[in-house]
Amino acid sequence: DQYADMLDALHECDYLPRSLPFEPGFYVARIQEWKARYRDWIRDPVMHEMARARTLFDVRPVHGRRSLWQQIETTLTDTIDRDFLHVLANDCLASLPPLTFFQDAVVDSAGEHVAIFRLEHSALRPLVDVGRVFAMAGGKVLGRSTLERLATARALLPEHEQIFREAADTFRVVLWQQGRVGISQGTSGADLPPTLLSRHDRHVLKAGFRSILRLLEFTAERAWIRNL
């Protein structure tokens, strides 16, 4: 009942998506069940549909006994291995940034011209997904923002610092555009008509698309995982 009340409040302020990956009852479980779920998602991410549970690797403690939270963190840290990181890194390629803007259209990764820039899907999501991978690699799985996770990546792989710094800058730019357009249009800002972007905005975003693509290509390479 407490969870249902909290969920209603979060929906009311538009903090959560209207459609969650699992039924509401799934999100209320005892500590042993949560530990078993996380182990299953990590040991066999395909069979246990870990892709549906990605956001559950982003959770933060809000209230209650912190010892329960720490048990979850310990389970994750002890279970994550290089094979899991490789699967997760490859999955990041499912969301690619657009190639460029052409007049009032977006040229997507397949070369198609579309009328809407899917900002959340093709710019924010790949950055969030990659940040999650490197946070896991750095042993800092839960309770971190994407910018904190990209900082972890810089510390973990200092020789590739520039890639992660550019990605963090792009993340800030995209979030700003989402907020600007969302507020002005009364929407979530997840989908952005290119007509609302100035010439300067487009130039900055195009540079950001290249940064995202470089980051994705680097993440998908297995070499950095082998060198951990």
Side-chain angles (χ1 to χ4, degrees):
D1 290 342
Q2 289 175 344
Y3 173 74
D5 290 343
M6 182 187 70
L7 201 62
D8 288 342
L10 291 173
H11 278 312
E12 189 175 335
C13 62
D14 207 25
Y15 186 79
L16 295 177
R18 295 296 170 186
S19 177
L20 293 170
F22 302 98
E23 293 297 319
F26 177 88
Y27 295 93
V28 182
R30 294 184 179 276
I31 185 65
Q32 294 304 324
E33 175 65 19
W34 280 114
K35 289 162 70 173
R37 288 172 178 176
Y38 278 110
R39 280 193 291 262
D40 287 342
W41 284 325
I42 293 169
R43 289 171 177 167
D44 195 342
V46 176
M47 182 65 68
H48 291 279
E49 298 182 293
M50 185 270 171
R52 294 178 63 201
R54 281 180 191 167
T55 55
L56 289 173
F57 286 77
D58 304 332
V59 295
R60 293 170 177 260
V62 175
H63 177 70
R65 283 183 289 160
R66 198 168 186 90
S67 60
L68 298 175
W69 168 263
Q70 290 166 342
Q71 287 185 52
I72 295 290
E73 272 199 311
T74 300
T75 297
L76 286 167
T77 304
D78 291 347
T79 311
I80 289 170
D81 58 18
R82 292 180 179 181
D83 288 338
F84 176 70
L85 289 175
H86 182 60
V87 170
L88 212 60
N90 273 330
D91 284 350
C92 292
L93 295 173
S95 300
L96 295 174
L99 296 175
T100 188
F101 294 102
F102 179 74
Q103 296 178 353
D104 287 332
V106 182
V107 183
D108 65 19
S109 56
E112 297 291 329
H113 290 216
V114 292
I116 295 293
F117 169 31
R118 298 175 64 198
L119 179 148
E120 189 170 284
H121 173 80
S122 58
L124 283 178
R125 183 182 297 177
L127 290 168
V128 170
D129 288 345
V130 166
R132 189 182 297 118
V133 172
F134 285 101
M136 291 182 182
K140 298 179 180 179
V141 184
L142 300 176
R144 272 83 176 179
S145 69
T146 295
L147 289 174
E148 289 170 329
R149 287 169 164 180
L150 292 172
T152 296
R154 292 200 302 271
L156 184 68
L157 299 165
E159 65 274 24
H160 301 289
E161 177 184 2
Q162 188 64 27
I163 293 176
F164 302 115
R165 194 170 295 281
E166 289 178 359
D169 290 342
T170 297
F171 188 72
R172 292 186 180 95
V173 168
V174 175
L175 276 182
W176 185 85
Q177 288 289 357
Q178 183 184 33
R180 180 184 70 85
V181 171
I183 291 169
S184 66
Q185 300 295 304
T187 68
S188 69
D191 295 326
L192 192 160
T195 52
L196 299 179
L197 294 170
S198 68
R199 184 174 181 179
H200 174 72
D201 290 335
R202 297 183 189 206
H203 178 73
V204 172
L205 283 169
K206 284 192 286 187
F209 298 159
R210 293 191 291 270
S211 296
I212 295 171
L213 189 58
R214 281 195 296 271
L215 180 69
L216 289 171
E217 290 172 344
F218 174 78
T219 305
E221 294 175 2
R222 194 151 191 171
W224 71 266
I225 300 177
R226 288 197 299 266
N227 293 332
L228 288 177

